[in-house]
Amino acid sequence: MAEYEATYRFARISARKVRPMADLIRGKLADEALEILRYQPQRGARLLEKVLKSALGNAQDPDHPENRGRTVDVARLFVRQAHVDGGPTFKRVRPRARGMAFMVRKRFSHIHVTLEEL
């Protein structure tokens, strides 16, 4: 079976916000997964939708090493893997009153989607 992957590295959103969206589409057909993400109001759904569309584009590319010159039926693709890993964190100091300060953590994530044929 052929596998098609797409990755969005260093996405400027915390992994915790995107993981519920990945849980929604894991194991679903690719077309169905796109429909599910399209109607989710979260920003993480938009980012995951971009990665899923990129994986579909990889599947349709005739020059992709997995295709070997054949065409792929997009209707037969399903989301085999969808996971979100934590990336690096930018750390900033936010000064407060009386000489105190707090750390501001700007978190990044890596979004991975793998499609496979039925």
Side-chain angles (χ1 to χ4, degrees), residues 2-17:
E3 285 186 353
Y4 306 97
E5 298 177 339
T7 303
Y8 184 175
R9 297 189 68 224
F10 305 103
R12 190 46 205 95
I13 190 168
S14 73
R16 184 177 178 174
K17 294 178 181 177

Side-chain angles (χ1 to χ4, degrees), residues 11 67 82-83:
N67 287 344
H83 65 277

Side-chain angles (χ1 to χ4, degrees), residues 63-80:
D63 296 330
H64 193 279
E66 291 280 338
N67 287 344
R68 296 178 195 92
R70 66 185 176 90
T71 58
V72 176
D73 185 13
V74 179
R76 294 176 42 89
L77 293 174
F78 75 98
V79 181
R80 188 174 73 81

Side-chain angles (χ1 to χ4, degrees), residues 67-107:
N67 287 344
R68 296 178 195 92
R70 66 185 176 90
T71 58
V72 176
D73 185 13
V74 179
R76 294 176 42 89
L77 293 174
F78 75 98
V79 181
R80 188 174 73 81
Q81 242 182 1
H83 65 277
V84 184
D85 299 326
T89 303
F90 278 167
K91 295 180 179 121
R92 301 285 183 268
V93 176
R94 181 172 187 182
R96 306 299 289 168
R98 295 181 300 142
M100 294 174 62
F102 289 106
M103 289 294 288
V104 176
R105 293 176 192 88
K106 297 182 177 232
R107 299 177 187 270

Side-chain angles (χ1 to χ4, degrees), residues 22-61:
D23 294 340
L24 281 176
I25 66 167
R26 195 175 296 118
K28 302 272 196 300
L29 288 172
D31 296 339
E32 187 182 342
L34 276 175
E35 286 298 313
I36 290 170
L37 291 175
R38 187 170 292 135
Y39 295 106
Q40 296 299 317
Q42 293 87 348
R43 182 172 151 256
R46 302 292 77 72
L47 300 175
L48 194 57
E49 189 178 357
K50 281 184 178 184
V51 179
L52 182 56
K53 284 181 180 178
S54 177
L56 281 170
N58 290 340
Q60 292 170 339
D61 182 17

